[in-house]
Amino acid sequence: MSSALRQADALFDLGRYERAAALAAQHLAGAPDDATALVLLARCLHRLGDEQQALTTVEEALSVEPDSLGAWLTQAQVLASLKEYERAEVSARRAVELAPQYWGSHYTLGTVLDAAGRRKRRRAAYESARTATALAPEESDAHFLVGLTAHRSGRYRIAQEAYETALRLDPNSSQAHNNLSLLHLRRRWLPGSWTRAAEGFVQSAALDLNDRHARHNLETMALGTVSGSRWVALAGTVAVACGSAHLRAGATGTDALLTFLVCATVLVGSWGGWLLWQSRRIPPHLRRPLLLVSRGCRQVLGVAFAVGLLVVHSASALVLWRSAVFSALAIPLFVFAVVTSVAGHTALQQRAPKP
């Protein structure tokens, strides 16, 4: 291997794909039939998003060296990116034939089968992932694939164990943090699960700034939290509406004062209890990330605005109790909050990043 090719390989490992591709192309100018260099160039092009050129390059490598394991593995990955899953599976199975004891062959086959999204392929994808972990139990990616395929099949306990193993081997795996948090979020009614999910999403986003999945999951959690507060706002609104009606009916003296105090207590107590619960649910180190995510999400801001209108209305209605028209605004405002919440959740799901 030439010095240029060795340098290109090192740059690829560092994620400097453009420079690595340039060096590989430079080497190929003097050795156009070097299959190793062609595979490396194809891998660089694949990472840079030029799938068609990557496919052409790896096919050239296979014409030079038909039994090149790296070429078959790269071709499978490129074809999967192009959603040509049947051809990708053929390439991956050829890689398994060439190197049945190499974990990467089974890992690639598992990723291709999983990417196809066909239910009948999920079992095969899971088995390929298990074979990969048996051959290379120290590889975090293999355990992650076990978790992913088990997760998609509804085997959540196995998935959790696999994700946790992947994180023990590679604590910086943003995908494992994200997917493990999704499992915690499924059990958010259990003590601490919601908090662990939020921590995992924040960790995932911090490890990979381009990870749109983690950010979207944090936005979903923030939207769920804000949407839930509308029921607290409803409790205060109902209490104030009932109290205002009683005052308009002619309550005076101690009766009027007691009515006013009860309404104020319900209004302040319900929000105070909700805020206390949230302060225990969301540790201090998670508040800033969630706040930053919320500020950048229109759906969260829209629901917060609708709930805020209910809060302002309740507080104002307690003072302006004589106005029956003002009190009647409670129902439209609550309906607006519900509609905004439903629309927000729908819009957020529509712009969810693709798996």
Side-chain angles (χ1 to χ4, degrees), residues 22-178:
L23 287 174
Q26 177 184 326
H27 171 84
L28 286 165
D33 293 334
D34 189 332
T36 301
L38 287 167
V39 171
L40 179 56
L41 178 58
R43 292 168 64 202
C44 291
L45 293 169
H46 172 52
R47 293 299 180 92
L48 291 169
D50 191 350
E51 307 296 358
Q52 289 296 342
Q53 188 58 45
L55 183 59
T56 300
T57 304
V58 77
E59 286 175 346
E60 186 177 347
L62 285 170
S63 68
V64 173
E65 189 176 332
D67 289 337
S68 169
L69 176 63
W72 285 110
L73 291 173
T74 302
Q75 186 181 57
Q77 294 164 0
V78 173
L79 288 170
S81 297
L82 292 170
K83 301 187 186 305
E84 297 186 31
Y85 299 118
E86 291 186 2
R87 291 181 61 195
E89 182 180 344
V90 171
S91 298
R93 291 193 182 281
R94 177 57 180 156
V96 171
E97 291 175 4
L98 290 170
Q101 297 303 312
Y102 175 51
W103 77 274
S105 302
H106 298 277
Y107 172 81
T108 300
L109 177 58
T111 57
V112 168
L113 292 171
D114 176 72
R118 298 175 183 173
R119 184 170 299 180
K120 63 181 181 180
R121 289 285 193 267
R122 287 177 181 169
R123 180 69 187 180
Y126 174 75
E127 293 301 333
S128 292
R130 297 290 291 186
T131 301
T133 59
L135 292 171
E138 75 288 353
E139 290 291 342
S140 172
D141 287 344
H143 289 282
F144 174 78
L145 184 58
V146 170
L148 181 63
T149 52
H151 195 160
R152 294 196 200 281
S153 302
R155 288 174 280 190
Y156 301 121
R157 182 184 60 79
I158 295 175
Q160 180 172 341
E161 292 174 355
Y163 291 145
E164 289 173 346
T165 301
L167 285 172
R168 282 197 297 272
L169 294 169
D170 180 11
N172 294 325
S173 173
S174 63
Q175 289 182 311
H177 278 293
N178 182 76

Side-chain angles (χ1 to χ4, degrees), residues 182 185 201 212-227 290 293-303 339-355:
L182 288 173
L185 195 58
F201 291 140
R212 295 175 56 213
H213 292 86
R215 181 178 180 84
H216 179 265
N217 291 329
L218 283 172
E219 289 174 341
T220 301
M221 295 185 77
L223 181 59
T225 299
V226 176
S227 296
L290 284 172
V293 166
S294 299
R295 287 170 55 185
C297 181
R298 289 178 297 175
Q299 289 76 22
V300 175
L301 294 176
V303 176
V339 171
T340 303
S341 177
V342 173
H345 280 283
T346 302
L348 195 59
Q349 290 306 311
Q350 287 178 344
R351 66 179 183 84
K354 296 181 179 180

